[in-house]
Amino acid sequence: MRPIIPDYLIEVLKDVESDTSGAPAGYIPELAAADPERLGVAFATIEGEVYGAGDIDTEFTIQSISKPFVYAMALSDRGFDSVLARVGVEPSGEAFNQISLERDTGRPLNPMINAGAITVHSLVGTADLEPSARVARVIGGLSAFASRPLATDETVRASEMAHAHRNLAMAHMLRSHGILTEDAHAVVDGYTRQCSVLVTTRDLAIMAATLANRGTNPLSGEQVVPEPVVRQVLSVMFSCGMYDAAGDWATQVGIPAKSGVAGGLIGALPGQIGIAAFSPRLDRHGNSVRGVSLFERFSSDMGMHLMDIPTIARAVVRSSHTIGSGPHALQILELQGGIGFAGAESVLRAMDASFLENRLALDLTRVHSIDDVARRMLLEATSRLTLDGHDIYLVDPESVIPDPGDGGRLTEVDTVHQAMNPPYATAQHGSQRRREGLGQ
Ligand code: GLN
């Protein structure tokens, strides 16, 4: 079979190739010299499969795409409170290099604009780190996200540093507000080294897939940063990652993303894939023109907009029926699919409505997953019913509820048959014993 996904990527690249609008970044002379025809795109799944088309192994500097990853490192190293005290999470609606800080606190508005990213760079590692050790930590962290050792481009770094007047101005301003506590020049030097790390489109797709995979690199298996950090980073990418085009991006593409002035662009679709594109010509916001078009295509062709509402899952309550009669009659609620809050709510209603018998079996045989809130809701309901004197059976052969709580509330069985027959035929008594056991 001809591979479907690479064929699709080749076709989409052909569609955007003819667009030669925009221009490579001019304010970093070395970037202006980049070959503007370069074009690549890659998907990396959270299982570590990489699909690509075009120049996916050409190296270029990561630039601002480093920002979300270094933000993740600072959050992991210093904790949320100390990072949030220095850098906010509000979209700025301004260009990435705007010299602007929050009026009362002097904090940069968010970590995706330069003022925020320069501050974030200073928050990596412990407070007493030497600038060179901090850079080493940053490059090591970026390498862990990519699962290969990354290096910097000295020519681009020197070229940017020779023209870093705006970034230096921002750093001095941050220092005057007490947001930066270290030498302003040293921090900008470190931040510029961070921006000059060389990556390929393939690397960026894997880095994005690490975010999509709750912080675990799909190739190395390394948990690079903790899960709560990833949620914070993806949220900020969603609202601020595309600078003053963030609103357009959120509505039209709807994928947490980050661009860089060398022409790279990443997106992370939580629980699914990391996407990366590379094409050096930029629009007026500093985002890759063809990269943006590619993402617009992916979002609409493949339903990747995060706000697309998934087709409503099949009803969680598959059936409700009663077996037997008299005191041994058993009501069976057969559940199915994945259960979240809304699904659990419908189960609670079905339990209320159908609970005419003294004995109830919740059959989870066809349930493939249940989230934390749904699990707690169901266990709370079964607990209340057992306290009211009912006997509840949990038919859970695959242990989708691995630990149904403190025992005594429920009788766990592998099949509905067991709930109907000995040794559970006298289940009322059995259950009674267990409840009494609880009180001992
Ligand atoms: N190194 C660049 C700068 O600080 C990064 C900007 C970007 O990629 N948007 O200006």
Side-chain angles (χ1 to χ4, degrees):
M1 185 182 77
R2 279 175 60 83
I4 293 170
I5 299 173
D7 273 3
Y8 167 74
L9 294 176
I10 290 167
E11 180 196 315
V12 190
L13 277 197
K14 276 205 193 108
D15 289 347
V16 303
E17 204 165 22
S18 57
D19 185 353
T20 56
S21 61
Y27 74 103
I28 302 174
E30 200 54 36
L31 288 186
D35 175 0
E37 292 311 326
R38 293 273 193 207
L39 180 61
V41 66
F43 284 1
T45 71
I46 58 167
E47 285 166 0
E49 198 62 40
V50 178
Y51 301 97
D55 301 318
I56 66 165
D57 292 311
T58 299
E59 288 192 322
F60 53 93
T61 52
I62 189 168
Q63 299 298 341
S64 286
I65 302 172
S66 62
K67 292 171 180 174
F69 299 102
V70 178
Y71 184 47
M73 293 174 215
L75 290 168
S76 311
D77 293 351
R78 298 279 180 102
F80 280 55
D81 288 349
S82 63
V83 175
L84 284 166
R86 308 264 187 100
V87 184
V89 287
E90 296 303 333
S92 69
E94 293 177 334
F96 67 89
N97 57 0
Q98 189 64 31
I99 306 184
S100 62
L101 303 177
E102 213 171 60
R103 205 165 283 170
D104 43 345
T105 61
R107 288 188 315 172
L109 281 162
N110 69 67
M112 301 293 126
I113 53 172
N114 285 11
I118 290 167
T119 309
V120 164
H121 178 90
S122 79
L123 297 174
V124 170
T126 52
D128 57 357
L129 265 195
E130 290 295 319
S132 60
R134 179 158 297 133
V135 170
R137 157 81 180 118
V138 164
I139 297 176
L142 292 173
S143 303
F145 272 108
S147 67
R148 80 170 179 104
L150 301 175
T152 57
D153 182 323
E154 266 310 295
T155 319
V156 172
R157 183 203 64 75
S159 173
E160 175 164 9
M161 204 54 205
H163 297 84
H165 310 299
R166 286 186 79 90
N167 286 342
L168 285 164
M170 272 181 250
H172 283 291
M173 223 167 77
L174 289 162
R175 178 72 203 243
S176 80
H177 282 281
I179 298 290
L180 271 191
T181 50
E182 298 177 25
D183 178 61
H185 192 278
V187 175
V188 172
D189 181 73
Y191 162 78
T192 307
R193 289 176 195 275
Q194 163 189 326
C195 290
S196 72
V197 165
L198 284 165
V199 286
T200 63
T201 308
R202 180 192 297 275
D203 291 329
L204 287 179
I206 292 163
M207 294 172 81
T210 302
L211 293 178
N213 192 34
R214 305 176 182 207
T216 297
N217 184 296
L219 294 184
S220 68
E222 183 185 349
Q223 177 87 41
V224 182
V225 288
E227 251 185 86
V229 163
V230 174
R231 188 176 86 164
Q232 176 83 0
V233 170
L234 289 173
S235 306
V236 174
M237 283 168 70
F238 196 74
S239 56
C240 312
M242 300 300 276
Y243 311 122
D244 43 340
D248 273 345
W249 183 269
T251 50
Q252 285 169 28
V253 179
I255 299 173
K258 188 72 206 78
S259 61
V261 284
L265 180 54
I266 63 162
L269 207 60
Q272 295 197 54
I273 59 169
I275 304 174
F278 169 52
S279 171
R281 291 194 196 88
L282 309 180
D283 62 18
R284 64 192 170 85
H285 305 289
N287 300 327
S288 167
V289 173
R290 296 194 289 199
V292 169
S293 300
L294 286 169
F295 272 79
E296 284 171 354
R297 274 290 299 269
F298 298 148
S299 176
S300 68
D301 287 358
M302 289 180 283
M304 288 178 170
H305 197 298
L306 273 192
M307 300 304 164
D308 277 341
I309 298 173
T311 40
I312 305 303
R314 283 189 304 163
V316 162
V317 180
R318 180 181 165 88
S319 71
S320 170
H321 56 279
T322 302
I323 295 179
S325 58
H328 292 300
L330 180 69
Q331 183 89 32
I332 299 168
L333 272 188
E334 204 185 348
L335 311 184
Q336 65 183 3
I339 309 183
F341 171 81
E345 187 274 339
S346 67
V347 177
L348 296 194
R349 264 187 293 122
M351 279 165 94
D352 247 7
S354 68
F355 202 59
L356 307 168
E357 310 300 339
N358 196 37
R359 305 169 65 226
L360 172 73
L362 279 183
D363 184 356
L364 306 185
T365 309
R366 292 171 190 264
V367 172
H368 58 74
S369 65
I370 180 161
D371 74 11
D372 191 50
V373 67
R375 184 181 58 81
R376 284 187 280 129
M377 285 164 76
L378 294 191
L379 289 178
E380 181 61 25
T382 55
S383 159
R384 290 183 185 196
L385 287 172
T386 53
L387 288 174
D388 288 347
H390 297 292
D391 287 316
I392 313 292
Y393 300 88
L394 199 60
V395 184
D396 188 13
E398 302 290 332
S399 290
V400 287
I401 299 187
D403 174 18
D406 48 7
R409 294 173 174 178
L410 286 173
T411 303
E412 278 184 85
V413 291
D414 281 342
T415 61
V416 173
H417 191 71
Q418 286 177 359
M420 285 157 23
N421 294 302
Y424 301 104
T426 53
Q428 281 167 313
H429 309 293
S431 182
Q432 195 66 37
R433 272 202 306 278
R434 294 184 70 176
R435 278 202 297 277
E436 284 164 4
L438 239 194
Q440 281 169 5

